Amino acid sequence: MWWPGRMGGAFGPSFLCLVCLIYFIQGFRSFVWTAVSYQMKDMMKLSPSTSQFLVSLAYFPWSIKPIYGILSDCIPIKQRKRVPYLIISSCLSLLPWLILGLSQTLRTSANMLTSLLIVQNLGSAMADVVIDAMVAEAVRSAGPEFAGDLQSLSWSSMAVGGIFGSLLGGYALSNLPIHVIYVVFSALPLFQLVSCMFVEDSPKRFQSAIDEHNNQSSVTAFSEEGSGEALGKEGARRRKGTRKNNKRRPLSKQTEANEKSNGSFNPSPSLSLKSAFFSLCTAFKQPAILRPMAWFFFSNVTIPNISTVMFYYQTEELHLEASFLGTARVIGWFSLILGTYTYNRYFKHKKLRDILVFAHVGLAIISLLDIALVLRLHIPHGIGDKYMVLWGSALADAINQFKFLTRMFPFGRMMPFLILSGQLCPPGIEGTLFALFMSINNLGSTLGSFLGAALASALNISTAQFDNLALGLGAQLIGTLLPIGFLFLIPNEVTGLTS
């Protein structure tokens, strides 16, 4: 019972509510994106490869998250760096769903639907970057003892949102028109927009830390200036006079420094943009950062993502209903939670290379299960299609969580990634650093999805033709095992507890 009070005292109730809401919405997105999949398949009659391509294109804004981080970190709006961008992102997330829900012409046009989904993902990705930056700032000010609590709160909110979104999404598709689902979901971005009005730009303890940092910087800068002037004078009286004059200067200089730090005095924002860009480039060139991130990028690019094609197969060929697919995703979310617990309990002491080998071999086995499902090899053994889909979805999500957790600690540090971002960057560019790490992985996943769309098109997979789907799954199996040969990019001695 003391935990909520402890967290509220450290970060403030309004900040905690905003964090929970944004992460909850990120998980609850499965509620509406399932409707988008059915919109493309049933109402627009798009082929599996076309749907895969459009969905991949719609998710591209998640691959350029550093841009939103740089904007939020370096270009304040009305002296504030975070809340204005949260308001903008909430509007970008809200309006597309309202438009799709109210305009039949726009939601039945492939070009307009894709454009509106891109705008919606732009808002969601921007909100994700900004809230991650605010969490990093809060952790920096509150101390590392709160990092695990904030991370647990964030992931728990996302998991709860995913569970409810998957459950309600299947039920809604069975009882509501798709355009009504769009309008219903738009209530969450609207609630997020209203919640932004009650949150300060920075948590209260972080602002005091910034003020203290500015005071120390101002005093240090003035002391250096005063020393330079004193060395240029002769005589004790002149030195005393200089010191007296210097004592009268700090107030104005400190005020100017504070104005600069708060964003009210920013004559050349391009300089700070340039500084942030080169700071990130310098850090990114370090082998300890570049080599692991290169491996994670490569491990996603080589795997053709044909999840949309499998969705078509499950609904058109196996005739699985939306409510069942929603239940399968719920089991997947519980598997994510189980995967997180298992990793922290049993695998964090293992070498990172061994964990990644385990993850990719496990994903290859899941591909074998999908191949068996498509070839109907389970029928003679009396195993139903639903059991194959349920177990395949649950195991895939659990194993992917192992890989996700190793990606969250790419340098072998078993500490919350938000703490890591706070340690590696100076105050003010937390959003950019965190977004850079994660967007590289998102870009790899997006390119893998485009590769999957090209593969489905090359194999002539259509709504009524799934004869070559097993070949596509075989290519996915080979692509899953390929990154194992490049694990030399991951240091051999690194484990989950290496610092």
Side-chain angles (χ1 to χ4, degrees):
M1 295 298 294
W2 54 268
W3 186 79
R6 176 173 175 264
M7 294 289 289
F11 304 107
S14 58
F15 175 73
L16 291 179
C17 290
L18 183 64
V19 170
C20 292
L21 178 61
I22 291 179
Y23 278 102
F24 178 87
I25 294 175
Q26 295 294 350
F28 199 80
R29 280 159 51 91
S30 58
F31 172 84
V32 71
W33 277 91
T34 304
V36 172
S37 299
Y38 278 94
Q39 167 92 22
M40 293 181 174
K41 181 179 73 72
D42 296 335
M43 301 183 66
M44 302 175 65
K45 306 299 182 182
L46 299 179
S47 66
S49 58
T50 302
S51 295
Q52 180 81 48
F53 177 81
L54 294 181
V55 171
S56 303
L57 188 62
Y59 272 92
F60 181 75
W62 289 88
S63 302
I64 53 174
K65 290 170 65 176
I67 296 177
Y68 323 136
I70 290 176
L71 291 176
S72 174
D73 290 332
C74 302
I75 304 180
I77 299 177
K78 292 186 177 181
Q79 307 179 17
R80 298 192 297 175
K81 295 172 58 177
R82 307 301 184 197
V83 173
Y85 287 97
L86 276 181
I87 294 175
I88 294 174
S89 64
S90 299
C91 293
L92 292 177
S93 299
L94 168 64
L95 294 178
W97 295 123
L98 283 178
I99 295 173
L100 289 174
L102 299 177
S103 175
Q104 181 179 1
T105 303
L106 295 180
R107 67 172 175 266
T108 54
S109 168
N111 293 331
M112 292 306 303
L113 175 65
T114 305
S115 300
L116 290 171
L117 292 179
I118 290 175
V119 173
Q120 192 280 325
N121 274 306
L122 174 64
S124 297
M126 183 182 296
D128 184 73
V129 171
V130 175
I131 198 62
D132 285 339
M134 295 178 70
V135 169
E137 293 170 344
V139 168
R140 182 198 293 275
S141 63
E145 65 273 11
F146 290 96
D149 293 334
L150 262 186
Q151 189 180 60
S152 299
L153 183 66
S154 303
W155 286 7
S156 298
S157 301
M158 183 181 295
V160 171
I163 292 171
F164 279 96
S166 299
L167 280 176
L168 296 178
Y171 174 81
L173 281 168
S174 302
N175 296 274
L176 296 175
I178 290 180
H179 69 277
V180 176
I181 295 177
Y182 295 154
V183 175
V184 170
F185 182 79
S186 65
L188 286 178
L190 177 61
F191 189 40
Q192 176 181 310
L193 176 63
V194 174
S195 300
C196 293
M197 310 298 180
F198 301 96
V199 178
E200 298 178 359
D201 199 68
S202 296
K204 53 185 179 181
R205 293 179 62 176
F206 174 71
Q207 188 60 45
S208 63
I210 289 292
D211 294 339
E212 181 180 355
H213 173 76
N214 291 333
N215 293 340
Q216 293 175 353
S217 300
S218 301
V219 172
T220 302
F222 171 71
S223 299
E224 293 174 353
E225 180 182 351
S227 299
E229 292 182 4
L231 290 175
K233 305 292 182 179
E234 294 182 359
R237 183 175 299 175
R238 293 196 174 208
R239 285 196 297 270
K240 291 181 180 179
T242 301
R243 294 190 186 106
K244 290 180 180 179
N245 292 334
N246 287 341
K247 290 180 180 179
R248 289 192 294 266
R249 292 181 190 176
L251 183 60
S252 61
K253 288 186 174 292
Q254 178 179 332
T255 303
E256 179 179 318
N258 287 336
E259 290 178 349
K260 290 181 179 180
S261 67
N262 291 333
S264 59
F265 184 80
N266 193 8
S268 181
S270 60
L271 293 178
S272 57
L273 287 173
K274 182 178 179 180
S275 176
F277 176 77
F278 281 108
S279 297
L280 290 173
C281 289
T282 301
F284 191 69
K285 290 179 181 179
Q286 299 179 15
I289 297 177
L290 179 59
R291 288 167 62 91
M293 292 307 300
W295 186 89
F296 281 105
F297 174 80
F298 179 76
S299 69
N300 285 305
V301 170
T302 59
I303 303 176
N305 183 355
I306 54 176
S307 58
T308 302
V309 180
M310 286 300 297
F311 166 76
Y312 272 70
Y313 177 78
Q314 292 169 359
T315 54
E316 294 296 321
E317 190 73 14
L318 302 182
H319 304 289
L320 300 179
E321 56 274 8
S323 58
F324 172 78
L325 295 179
T327 303
R329 292 188 177 93
V330 170
I331 295 178
W333 279 104
F334 279 112
S335 298
L336 290 177
I337 299 174
L338 178 62
T340 302
Y341 170 79
T342 305
Y343 178 86
N344 288 321
R345 182 67 176 84
Y346 299 105
F347 284 85
K348 66 182 180 181
H349 298 278
K350 305 294 183 180
K351 288 186 176 181
L352 197 58
R353 288 187 181 183
D354 295 338
I355 299 174
L356 293 173
V357 169
F358 168 80
H360 276 258
V361 171
L363 291 175
I365 295 175
I366 300 302
S367 296
L368 288 176
L369 291 178
D370 288 337
I371 293 175
L373 175 67
V374 172
L375 296 178
R376 318 301 290 160
L377 299 179
H378 59 289
I379 298 298
H381 301 282
I383 302 176
D385 294 334
K386 292 186 176 182
Y387 287 102
M388 293 289 290
V389 173
L390 281 176
W391 284 107
S393 174
L395 291 175
D397 288 334
I399 295 173
N400 272 315
Q401 184 69 348
F402 279 86
K403 187 177 177 181
F404 174 78
L405 289 170
T406 57
R407 183 173 76 244
M408 291 294 286
F409 314 107
F411 319 114
R413 295 170 172 85
M414 191 54 196
M415 66 175 67
F417 189 76
L418 295 178
I419 278 290
L420 179 61
S421 66
Q423 291 179 344
L424 291 182
C425 68
I429 62 169
E430 293 87 354
T432 307
L433 181 69
F434 192 92
L436 177 64
F437 289 152
M438 300 308 297
S439 64
I440 290 175
N441 181 79
N442 293 336
L443 178 60
S445 299
T446 300
L447 294 178
S449 296
F450 283 124
L451 179 62
L455 179 63
S457 178
L459 295 176
N460 294 319
I461 300 175
S462 64
T463 306
Q465 184 71 23
F466 296 98
D467 293 341
N468 294 327
L469 180 55
L471 293 178
L473 291 171
Q476 186 182 61
L477 172 63
I478 296 174
T480 303
L481 296 174
L482 190 61
I484 297 178
F486 294 86
L487 279 174
F488 62 86
L489 295 172
I490 306 293
N492 185 44
E493 67 280 0
V494 170
T495 67
L497 292 177
T498 303
S499 63

